[in-house]
């Protein structure tokens, strides 16, 4: 594998330096997933939409009749549908040119800017909120494509589970730090002379500033590898041609695509739980904003330990078996959510603890397992397909969640509808022969995978 770092061609110190810089993009952008998508934006944008709704509780973006309680879920779905168009093209250009760092920086700073601009989301500006969410989430997903594509280049096959798990742990640690600051601001907003809404908008904007600041570290430490055409420039026409070639080539990697299908299904469930849990807690269970922040902080703290623990389990039992076990746990957790009593924060905290223990590890190991199945020189293109459903960018899950609420006006029905994603994903992943898939992609097969 010419594009994969094995340690023979690169000094160990240089490889470790790149890995440490790579971790910092998880540190930079995870606060968007945590503070924005998971905690603040869902309930806040829902309230903004409700303030703009008509007497029947509907808003009318682009002339459509949308129940205000479903607006956030639909906006997330729209952002992912747009990501489907953008990410594969950008991935193709990145692989063709070898210019991953400037593309990473471009989308990181577009996303950070849109997030910082959420400071201006107040009153009944639900259209502004939806537009900023779409721009930020598309940019978040596209930058993550390039970020993930560095993994097989900076870590050999035997160390990818550990490196991927550490990256996720860095991200959850950053989420914890920022949430502590957010919680302090939110609880003390009256003492410092700002309204609750202003405190929320400051928290949203601070996530964008954090994202922008710490993106500098990976941009300084990661290094470029030659693309398919060394020194070639950015060309949309070239990108479309490269992308068309990738889709023609997919037939050669059917086992990789079978894994990707399984991942897209079960991760839709994971991402919908992450993005909609705060809406479920606030609207169905009557959980206040302080409790929501505390619960998500608990998730972040336990996710650090969970990611590292599941990385060790993967070293002993293999990444595939460990991910399958996590899907069983996800099914149990979502099912338990349906029965949570309203007005009982202790049960909501128990649900959050369960989510935290399995969330980081299932995502980190899915990423490293997929990296074993990607052919060399096609990292960004293949990870663009992977990223369609990764970290808050799923579309089918939020759509199902939103439709379930629109039809039943019950968030309990919406949350239980997500069980199907974990069950179907488990069955599909069980059928993937990962050793054969890695060999078919031309990659060395680790002792345990």
């Amino acid at each position: 594998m010419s594009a994969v770092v094995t340690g023979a061609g690169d000094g160990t110190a240089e490889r470790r330096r790149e890995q440490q810089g790579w971790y910092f993009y998880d540190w930079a952008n995870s606060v968007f997933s945590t503070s924005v998508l998971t905690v603040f934006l869902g309930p806040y944008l829902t309230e903004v939409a409700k303030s703009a709704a008509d007497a029947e509780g509907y808003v009318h973006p682009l002339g459509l009749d949308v129940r205000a309680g479903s607006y956030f879920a639909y906006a997330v779905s729209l952002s992912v549908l747009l990501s489907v168009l953008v990410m594969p093209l950008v991935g193709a250009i990145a692989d063709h040119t070898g210019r991953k760092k400037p593309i990473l920086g471009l989308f990181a700073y577009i996303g950070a800017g849109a997030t910082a601009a959420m400071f201006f989301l107040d009153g009944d500006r639900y259209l502004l909120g939806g537009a900023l969410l779409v721009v930020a989430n598309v940019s978040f997903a596209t930058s993550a494509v390039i970020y993930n594509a560095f993994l097989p280049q900076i870590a050999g096959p035997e160390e990818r589970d550990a490196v991927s798990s550490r990256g996720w742990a860095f991200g959850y640690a950053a989420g914890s730090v920022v949430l502590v600051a957010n919680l302090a601001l939110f609880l003390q907003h009256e003492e410092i002379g700002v309204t609750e809404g202003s405190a929320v908008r400051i928290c949203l904007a601070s996530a964008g500033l954090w994202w922008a600041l710490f993106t500098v570290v990976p941009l300084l430490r990661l290094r470029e590898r030659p693309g398919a055409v060394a020194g070639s420039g950015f060309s949309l026409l070239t990108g479309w041609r490269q992308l068309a070639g990738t889709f023609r080539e997919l037939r050669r990697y059917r086992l990789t695509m079978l894994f990707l299908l399984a991942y897209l299904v079960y991760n839709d469930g994971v991402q919908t739980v992450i993005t909609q849990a705060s809406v479920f807690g606030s609207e169905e269970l009557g959980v206040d904003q302080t409790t929501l922040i505390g619960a998500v902080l608990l998730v972040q703290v336990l996710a650090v330990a969970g990611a590292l623990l599941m990385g060790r389990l993967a070293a002993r039992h293999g990444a595939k078996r460990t991910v399958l076990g996590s899907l069983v746990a996800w099914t149990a957790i979502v099912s338990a959510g349906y029965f949570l009593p309203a007005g009982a924060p202790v049960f909501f905290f128990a649900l959050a603890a369960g989510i935290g223990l399995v969330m980081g590890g299932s995502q980190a190991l899915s990423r490293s397992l997929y990296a074993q199945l990607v052919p060399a020189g096609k990292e960004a293109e293949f990870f663009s397909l992977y990223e369609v459903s990764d970290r808050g960018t799923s579309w089918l899950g939020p759509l199902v969640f939103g439709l379930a609420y629109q039809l039943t006006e019950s968030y309990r029905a919406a949350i239980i509808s997500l069980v199907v994603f974990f069950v179907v994903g488990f069955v599909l992943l069980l059928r993937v022969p990962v050793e054969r898939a890695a060999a078919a992609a031309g990659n060395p097969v680790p002792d345990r995978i």
Side-chain angles (χ1 to χ4, degrees), residues 188-239:
Q188 301 296 320
H189 68 270
E190 291 183 354
E191 286 78 358
I192 62 177
V194 299
T195 64
E196 181 176 306
S198 295
V200 171
R201 292 188 291 111
I202 291 171
C203 291
L204 292 172
S206 68
L209 297 177
W210 179 282
W211 186 358
L213 175 63
F214 288 103
T215 293
V216 173
V217 180
L219 293 180
L220 290 176
R221 291 199 171 189
L222 292 171
R223 64 183 180 86
E224 300 283 22
R225 273 78 175 174
V229 180
S232 59
F234 294 92
S235 167
L236 289 179
L237 180 59
T238 299

Side-chain angles (χ1 to χ4, degrees), residues 110-157:
I110 291 174
T115 305
M118 291 178 185
F119 178 79
F120 302 102
L121 175 59
D122 60 357
D124 59 357
R125 298 177 179 176
Y126 77 98
L127 288 175
L128 173 64
L132 292 175
L133 168 58
V134 169
V135 172
N137 212 20
V138 170
S139 300
F140 174 78
T142 307
S143 67
V145 167
I146 310 303
Y147 166 68
N148 288 334
F150 276 103
L151 177 58
Q153 297 181 329
I154 65 172

Side-chain angles (χ1 to χ4, degrees), residues 311-322:
R312 293 186 178 183
L313 289 175
R316 177 176 298 182
H317 302 290
K320 178 183 173 180
R321 289 183 179 179
T322 307

Side-chain angles (χ1 to χ4, degrees), residues 33 37-38 172 269-278 330 359 363:
S33 177
L37 288 180
T38 305
Y172 288 123
V270 172
Q271 296 308 319
T272 308
V273 172
I274 292 172
T275 59
Q276 305 302 322
S278 58
W330 273 113
M359 180 172 66
Q363 293 177 309

Side-chain angles (χ1 to χ4, degrees), residues 283-371:
E283 299 294 325
E284 185 69 37
L285 303 181
V287 175
D288 61 31
Q289 189 74 29
T290 302
T291 301
L292 283 175
I293 297 173
V296 176
L297 179 58
L298 177 63
V299 168
Q300 298 301 302
V301 172
L302 291 179
V304 175
L308 298 176
L309 174 62
M310 289 181 66
R312 293 186 178 183
L313 289 175
R316 177 176 298 182
H317 302 290
K320 178 183 173 180
R321 289 183 179 179
T322 307
V323 174
L324 286 171
S326 75
L327 296 181
V328 174
W330 273 113
T331 302
I333 289 167
V334 172
S335 299
Y338 178 82
F339 298 101
L340 287 187
V346 64
F347 291 104
F348 190 71
F349 276 115
L351 187 74
I355 291 173
L357 288 174
V358 298
M359 180 172 66
S362 61
Q363 293 177 309
L365 294 178
S366 295
R367 177 171 65 184
S368 60
L369 185 56
Y370 184 68

